[in-house]
Amino acid sequence: MKKKLKIGIFLNSNIKLQDGHIKIISELINSDFTKLECVFYYNVKKKLNLLSSFLYNFIARVEKKYCLITRKKEQIIIKKYFLQIKKYFLNENNKNEFFKDEKIKDKLENIDLILILEKNEFIESQIVDLPKLGSWVINFGVDEFIFAGFWESLNQKDITKVEIQNIKYTTLKRGSSIIDQGFYSTKISSWFSNRDFILEKSSILLMKNIRLLSLKLKKKQKKFFSKNKTKPGFINLLKYVIKKYPKTLFRKTLLFLLYPNNKIHTELNHNPWNIHIGNKVNNKLLSFKSSKRIKPKNNQAWADPFLISYKRDDYVFFENFEFSKQKGKISFAKIRNNSISEIDDALDLKFHLSYPFLWREKNHFFMMPETGQKKCIQIWKAEHFPKKWILHKTLFKGQSCVDTTFFDTKNGQRWLFTNKSNDKYNDHNSELYVYKTDKKFNKIIPHKYNPVIIDSRIARNAGNIFYNDKKEIIRPSQVNILNFYGKALNLRIIKKLKIDCYEELQSKSFYPNFKKNINAIHHISQNKNNYVIDVRYKNLLSNFIPE
């Protein structure tokens, strides 16, 4: 058994443990490559004047009650674990006083890595140089953790960035090294939700890089010179309240008046997803302006369309979301002259289905729909195409995976791409995982740098991966920013695809501006002559008061 890395954590005893802290600590405890050795407590109080403190506490009370998702069971487990773990207390008035305590000094020198979960004055002391592998700090772009995510939410920034920095006392003035970065869709409706979300998600970024450290896999590090933003004062806190709360209250009131007995207000903010069908010119995608809209039936939304041919017919399989049942099923239709006919159901199960990824091997058809709600990936085989399917194989049991796609390279390799979530927000937009597999999915090898992408602007899959006319591998992906699903559609070039190397470059983006009143697009599938996409149209409410 490989030796685990001994980890120590710096925690502010003046701040109550957040769910994101608990998530990080849980990952460290349950990991097969880390051992949480000890906790170093320091006490730094938030420095706010009376007016700012009043506004902060008002915002905290409102948003903790109405905006946050809590994790009570794990809090109890961690508190029990904390009773057993060794704790040390550092004096903030004398950052180097620990040198007088040989026990603290010895402990620091005998652990492998210190994790500092928020920027504090101790990173400017020699403490950070004592562990064998140094010290890492999670930087949320502000001087004090309690204000993480504030500026991005207030200013409606597309994404909120999190950095892991490798800090050294001897080089602090010249800048710290950036080990890795994560880019997350900003939750603009609530600052506390945004703060909680990025802290929660940072556990994946952190554990990925600790795993790479344990495997002695090197990553290129960048120098960090940019300044963190300062804490907001009274005026900015007041500006936040004025900007966010009246609009949110008005929207919720309007929704209640329009749909007093309806439980699906959020879905009714927009018209349902629609499918568009179009022709390619000389086997090339030029624009979607000429595509033809296929409206779903009443009480349905149609999305995630995939094209496949059988005999002389082209079929489109798609997610058919029924609002009355609040779940999706997989339906299909024949395509003729950019219209559809003979609509029927292929899979209608007790749980939600979407993203019906399809392929053919010899005379057999297979489908790998999104079954994230079931916490697995299911592969179905056509017993009688296109309507009758039987369960063929189950992968990734116990894991929530969505929009799973595989790609066969010209040299015979098969690569599986999926978007996972193991956080309380059920967010599948931020991370892309890649696996190398055999043709029958019996041997699945994770990429050494999983997740290979941590960026909500490019991570989530959006349809079949394909070769273009330049023989480049193109991966469609979604743009998910500002807490909005389907802001745009990317086509990205996979430049390097090896088990220990992955690299993508942007090729093209399609925004939902090619037809009037479209506000979202997030999927594409194509064959030699045709393409299908999905789009969502604005309605009166979304025009009147957008999210």
Side-chain angles (χ1 to χ4, degrees):
M1 184 177 176
K2 191 169 182 177
K3 188 178 178 181
K4 294 184 177 183
L5 289 179
K6 296 178 182 178
I7 307 293
I9 298 181
F10 272 29
L11 289 176
N12 188 348
S13 60
N14 193 54
I15 296 178
K16 185 179 177 181
L17 275 182
Q18 306 294 307
D19 275 4
H21 293 132
I22 299 214
K23 174 74 171 167
I24 291 169
I25 292 165
S26 298
E27 295 282 351
L28 291 169
I29 292 170
N30 297 318
S31 165
D32 58 1
F33 53 86
T34 60
K35 180 183 179 184
L36 184 54
E37 280 280 303
C38 56
V39 175
F40 297 92
Y41 280 107
Y42 58 93
N43 190 320
V44 178
K45 295 181 180 179
K46 61 179 184 285
K47 300 168 185 175
L48 296 174
N49 61 38
L50 187 62
L51 287 174
S52 296
S53 183
F54 169 77
L55 267 186
Y56 176 86
N57 290 326
F58 168 72
I59 294 168
R61 184 178 291 270
V62 170
E63 301 201 358
K64 283 180 179 178
K65 184 174 182 178
Y66 295 106
C67 302
L68 292 188
I69 304 168
T70 57
R71 183 189 276 116
K72 292 182 179 178
K73 288 183 179 179
E74 286 189 19
Q75 283 181 343
I76 295 169
I77 295 169
I78 293 299
K79 283 177 181 177
K80 286 182 180 179
Y81 183 85
F82 263 30
L83 294 174
Q84 305 169 20
I85 198 168
K86 187 70 177 175
K87 303 174 186 67
Y88 299 91
F89 295 87
L90 304 173
N91 184 353
E92 69 272 17
N93 296 319
N94 187 347
K95 291 176 287 189
N96 290 317
E97 188 176 294
F98 71 91
F99 280 115
K100 297 176 184 177
D101 190 330
E102 290 298 326
K103 288 183 180 179
I104 295 179
K105 186 177 177 182
D106 288 346
K107 192 64 181 176
L108 281 160
E109 289 175 338
N110 285 314
I111 60 176
D112 295 304
L113 184 68
I114 282 287
L115 299 179
I116 303 169
L117 302 187
E118 61 169 332
K119 286 203 127 185
N120 63 76
E121 54 212 51
F122 285 95
I123 68 171
E124 297 176 7
S125 76
Q126 296 175 41
I127 290 176
V128 297
D129 290 343
L130 286 180
K132 296 173 184 176
L133 300 174
S135 299
W136 291 1
V137 62
I138 304 179
N139 183 14
F140 297 96
V142 288
D143 291 331
E144 295 182 32
F145 165 74
I146 61 167
F147 296 109
F150 173 82
W151 295 106
E152 292 85 355
S153 184
L154 173 66
N155 298 321
Q156 299 195 149
K157 296 292 184 182
D158 291 349
I159 51 98
T160 302
K161 182 172 70 172
V162 177
E163 292 180 341
I164 299 176
Q165 296 174 8
N166 183 11
I167 55 172
K168 292 182 179 179
Y169 176 71
T170 53
T171 59
L172 273 173
K173 290 183 180 179
R174 287 177 280 152
S176 303
S177 296
I178 298 174
I179 294 170
D180 207 352
Q181 298 173 316
F183 300 88
Y184 307 99
S185 177
T186 300
K187 294 188 175 295
I188 56 173
S189 59
S190 163
W191 156 33
F192 271 59
S193 287
N194 197 40
R195 184 181 76 179
D196 188 61
F197 177 64
I198 60 174
L199 178 56
E200 173 95 4
K201 298 295 286 183
S202 67
S203 66
I204 299 170
L205 182 71
L206 186 63
M207 294 307 292
K208 168 188 174 178
N209 286 281
I210 295 175
R211 179 178 58 81
L212 294 178
L213 184 68
S214 72
L215 296 172
K216 298 181 180 178
L217 291 173
K218 292 183 179 180
K219 284 194 70 174
K220 289 182 180 178
Q221 296 186 5
K222 300 176 182 178
K223 282 293 179 182
F224 171 73
F225 294 102
S226 60
K227 266 191 172 183
N228 279 359
K229 291 187 176 178
T230 58
K231 64 184 180 186
F234 173 76
I235 297 298
N236 286 308
L237 289 171
L238 183 62
K239 191 184 293 184
Y240 174 84
V241 172
I242 294 171
K243 187 174 183 179
K244 300 290 181 181
Y245 289 7
K247 178 180 172 181
T248 301
L249 183 62
F250 181 57
R251 183 181 185 85
K252 287 185 180 294
T253 303
L254 190 60
L255 283 168
F256 178 76
L257 291 173
L258 290 173
Y259 312 108
N261 299 314
N262 204 309
K263 296 181 181 179
I264 53 174
H265 295 169
T266 53
E267 291 295 340
L268 292 169
N269 289 344
H270 308 274
N271 285 339
W273 286 91
N274 295 239
I275 293 173
H276 274 225
I277 300 176
N279 298 320
K280 292 161 71 174
V281 179
N282 297 325
N283 198 27
K284 290 184 179 180
L285 281 169
L286 299 177
S287 75
F288 299 143
K289 286 183 180 179
S290 60
S291 60
K292 183 179 179 181
R293 181 181 182 182
I294 307 295
K295 286 187 179 182
K297 295 180 180 179
N298 290 335
N299 192 42
Q300 293 180 354
W302 293 355
D304 297 345
F306 280 91
L307 290 173
I308 196 163
S309 299
Y310 176 59
K311 295 181 178 178
R312 294 185 178 181
D313 292 316
D314 285 334
Y315 289 83
V316 58
F317 281 67
F318 54 92
E319 172 198 350
N320 185 344
F321 187 88
E322 297 178 291
F323 287 100
S324 59
K325 295 181 180 179
Q326 280 293 284
K327 73 175 185 69
K329 59 184 178 180
I330 304 302
S331 298
F332 67 91
K334 278 187 179 180
I335 298 176
R336 288 195 178 95
N337 299 320
N338 288 347
S339 295
I340 62 171
S341 63
E342 303 178 37
I343 303 167
D344 208 338
D345 295 337
L347 275 182
D348 189 1
L349 305 177
K350 293 181 179 180
F351 53 90
H352 176 72
L353 297 169
S354 62
Y355 201 86
F357 179 81
L358 291 152
W359 73 99
R360 183 176 183 172
E361 291 182 8
K362 296 181 179 179
N363 294 321
H364 300 290
F365 289 87
F366 296 89
M367 175 168 50
M368 189 160 51
E370 185 256 286
T371 52
Q373 195 178 90
K374 193 71 173 175
K375 293 280 178 87
C376 65
I377 294 175
Q378 292 183 348
I379 298 175
W380 292 73
K381 185 178 181 180
E383 192 171 59
H384 183 73
F385 185 88
K387 190 171 181 180
K388 191 172 181 181
W389 299 79
I390 56 173
L391 184 60
H392 176 65
K393 185 167 284 193
T394 302
L395 313 172
F396 292 85
K397 291 180 181 179
Q399 300 182 52
S400 180
C401 303
V402 304
D403 296 359
T404 306
T405 307
F406 74 75
F407 177 70
D408 290 331
T409 64
K410 289 182 178 179
N411 60 4
Q413 294 180 344
R414 176 166 287 184
W415 295 88
L416 193 73
F417 296 72
T418 192
N419 302 104
K420 287 188 192 180
S421 172
N422 65 351
D423 57 82
K424 65 181 182 181
Y425 284 91
N426 199 32
D427 168 61
H428 294 89
N429 298 332
S430 304
E431 294 93 18
L432 174 67
Y433 292 80
V434 176
Y435 299 84
K436 190 176 182 181
T437 178
D438 62 297
K439 294 296 176 72
K440 294 184 178 180
F441 302 99
N442 291 325
K443 186 179 181 181
I444 300 175
I445 305 169
H447 196 282
K448 289 186 178 179
Y449 286 89
N450 269 344
V452 297
I453 291 175
I454 304 178
D455 190 334
S456 68
R457 297 169 298 182
I458 59 175
R460 187 158 178 170
N461 291 320
N464 302 83
I465 299 171
F466 61 93
Y467 280 107
N468 65 8
D469 56 351
K470 296 178 182 177
K471 298 182 180 180
E472 296 169 322
I473 302 173
I474 305 297
R475 183 180 73 90
S477 76
Q478 300 176 14
V479 178
N480 294 307
I481 56 176
L482 290 170
N483 204 30
F484 190 95
Y485 183 54
K487 197 71 174 178
L489 177 70
N490 297 314
L491 295 182
R492 296 183 57 80
I493 304 169
I494 299 177
K495 299 294 288 185
K496 295 180 181 178
L497 181 55
K498 297 179 181 178
I499 200 65
D500 59 355
C501 183
Y502 187 84
E503 185 181 326
E504 282 187 359
L505 293 176
Q506 185 72 1
S507 174
K508 192 172 185 179
S509 294
F510 296 95
Y511 289 86
N513 55 10
F514 52 90
K515 298 270 187 181
K516 284 185 178 180
N517 296 322
I518 291 176
N519 68 352
I521 177 173
H522 80 344
H523 183 95
I524 184 169
S525 177
Q526 56 187 313
N527 57 21
K528 186 177 180 181
N529 299 311
N530 301 297
Y531 65 83
V532 286
I533 55 175
D534 59 7
V535 300
R536 192 165 62 181
Y537 285 77
K538 300 176 184 177
N539 63 10
L540 180 61
L541 181 59
S542 58
N543 274 323
F544 179 56
I545 180 164
E547 297 212 61

